[in-house]
Amino acid sequence: MGFDLDKWVLHKMQGEVLLHYVGEITSDKITEALTKIESNLNIKNEKNIIRKKVFNVFVECIQNLFHHVDESPKASDIENKGKFGIIILAKDNSFYRISTGNFVRIDKINIIKDRVDQVNSLSDEEIKSVYRDILGNEDITIKGGGGLGMLDIVRKTGNKLEYSVYTYNKELVFFALDVYIS
Amino acid sequence: METIIREGSPKTPYVMLDGEKGLIEIKGRSIPENSVEFYKPLIDWLDTYGEDPKDTTTVNVQLEYFNTSSSKCILDIFKKLELIYKKGTKVQINWYYEEDDEDMFEAGEDYQSIINIPFSMFEMEE
């Protein structure tokens, strides 16, 4: 039995879902999502510090998809052929959860896993120091923040990144990431 | 020297680069997907300004949000200012952050630790 995308989405729709997007991640779609979050009353009524954290971390998560996702499988069940990604912002009791999912070529998954494992292995102080080292380093890619995104998420949330990898077909896996903001 | 004013947008900050007054202001949010595209003209402006800067250059940064893609561009701006400062003119960076916004306070500390230039941080009451 292969990976069931719909089932995964459904599973991640637990709690109070504030935003749910499945499709091509474009600059315009990101703007739309951010506007929607900002106008959400629950978030508006949050304490300033939480509201800003949720927004900031959401920006990093969705732009991480924008910069790094691989093309979706050209299968009939997923019609998008561009930068296909999924992002869900939900509130589970006292914390916010941002779940993202995207397809990754099998040959690239170990690099991503190693990267997340490495970020997760760092203490708060180490995160801060590695972040500064990378920021101060000249050689940052034009694409994004040169690997600062993951560090920034962990630094701002104070929580480890939780991920799962599901086999999709011979070429692709589905990479799912959960970020908690408490 | 030409003054550049950019109004803020949902993803980009209000920017003013005033060569006559030696005043630079960046306010609002900076979360574009392509930060380099947004900041390149500002960095070019600083290159030209740096050739004949005012005796004092004041830089006010008051950001509500910025993404990691912008963080590098903001550092590039500060590095240009550092060169101007090293030439012997006065340069002052003022970093404003909202009360209780630890993330923005820490971001200010990050820059303060990387660049060698007078850098003050101001907490604003809500």
Side-chain angles (χ1 to χ4, degrees), chain A residues 27 30-31 38 48-49 51-53 55-56 60 63 67 131-132 135-136 138 140 152 155, chain B residues 11 29 31 33 64-68 71-72 75 79 98 100-101 103 106 109-110 113-114 126:
Chain A
S27 187
I30 293 175
T31 310
E38 285 204 289
N48 222 4
I49 184 166
R51 182 178 56 79
K52 289 182 83 168
K53 237 180 236 293
F55 189 81
N56 243 321
E60 286 307 323
Q63 292 186 338
H67 290 298
Y131 186 95
R132 283 184 184 179
L135 178 62
E138 297 285 339
I140 288 185
D152 186 66
R155 190 175 175 185
Chain B
K11 283 186 184 164
R29 51 182 60 188
I31 51 171
E33 282 77 43
E64 189 188 1
Y65 304 113
F66 68 93
N67 58 2
T68 50
S71 63
K72 174 72 172 79
L75 181 66
K79 285 195 167 165
E98 275 183 40
D100 296 333
D101 191 344
D103 293 334
E106 283 196 12
E109 279 190 328
D110 289 345
S113 76
I114 296 169
E126 275 177 49

Side-chain angles (χ1 to χ4, degrees), chain A residues 144-180:
Chain A
L148 285 176
M150 297 265 192
L151 284 166
D152 186 66
I153 292 168
V154 173
R155 190 175 175 185
K156 287 204 166 85
T157 62
N159 293 320
K160 304 285 181 202
L161 301 165
E162 293 182 18
Y163 69 88
S164 306
V165 177
Y166 304 92
T167 304
Y168 184 76
N169 60 23
K170 279 181 186 164
E171 282 141 33
L172 294 166
V173 294
F174 185 79
F175 179 74
L177 188 70
D178 283 328
V179 173
Y180 292 94

Side-chain angles (χ1 to χ4, degrees), chain A residues 30-152:
Chain A
I30 293 175
T31 310
E32 263 177 48
L34 296 178
T35 309
K36 199 172 168 191
I37 290 181
E38 285 204 289
S39 59
N40 184 290
L41 277 179
N42 282 318
I43 300 208
K44 266 187 174 172
N45 292 334
E46 273 291 357
K47 275 190 289 185
N48 222 4
I49 184 166
I50 298 287
R51 182 178 56 79
K52 289 182 83 168
K53 237 180 236 293
V54 170
F55 189 81
N56 243 321
V57 174
F58 186 88
V59 168
E60 286 307 323
C61 288
I62 198 164
Q63 292 186 338
N64 200 29
L65 290 175
F66 176 83
H67 290 298
H68 301 293
V69 294
D70 281 334
E71 297 223 339
S72 63
K74 291 181 176 59
S76 54
D77 55 336
I78 302 160
E79 290 184 1
N80 295 69
K81 288 179 180 165
K83 295 175 168 183
F84 178 84
I86 299 169
I87 190 157
I88 295 160
L89 169 64
K91 193 177 180 189
D92 285 339
N93 299 317
S94 61
F95 53 84
Y96 286 91
R97 170 176 47 84
I98 299 170
S99 297
T100 66
N102 60 287
F103 290 97
V104 177
R105 287 207 323 267
I106 275 180
D107 56 332
K108 279 170 66 184
I109 191 64
N110 281 339
I111 299 170
I112 298 171
K113 277 166 68 177
D114 289 350
R115 174 86 193 130
V116 180
D117 290 342
Q118 190 219 348
V119 170
N120 278 342
S121 73
L122 302 173
S123 68
D124 290 353
E125 273 310 302
E126 284 169 331
I127 292 266
K128 195 166 159 176
S129 126
V130 172
Y131 186 95
R132 283 184 184 179
D133 283 351
I134 297 177
L135 178 62
N137 186 319
E138 297 285 339
D139 304 323
I140 288 185
T141 59
I142 285 173
K143 222 177 180 185
L148 285 176
M150 297 265 192
L151 284 166
D152 186 66

Side-chain angles (χ1 to χ4, degrees), chain B residues 38 61 99 112:
Chain B
F38 179 79
V61 183
E99 192 178 11
Q112 205 173 28

Side-chain angles (χ1 to χ4, degrees), chain B residues 1 42-53 84 87:
Chain B
M1 191 167 175
L42 314 185
I43 289 174
D44 290 345
W45 184 94
L46 274 170
D47 273 333
T48 311
Y49 174 77
E51 288 167 12
D52 183 22
I84 296 170
K87 279 184 176 173

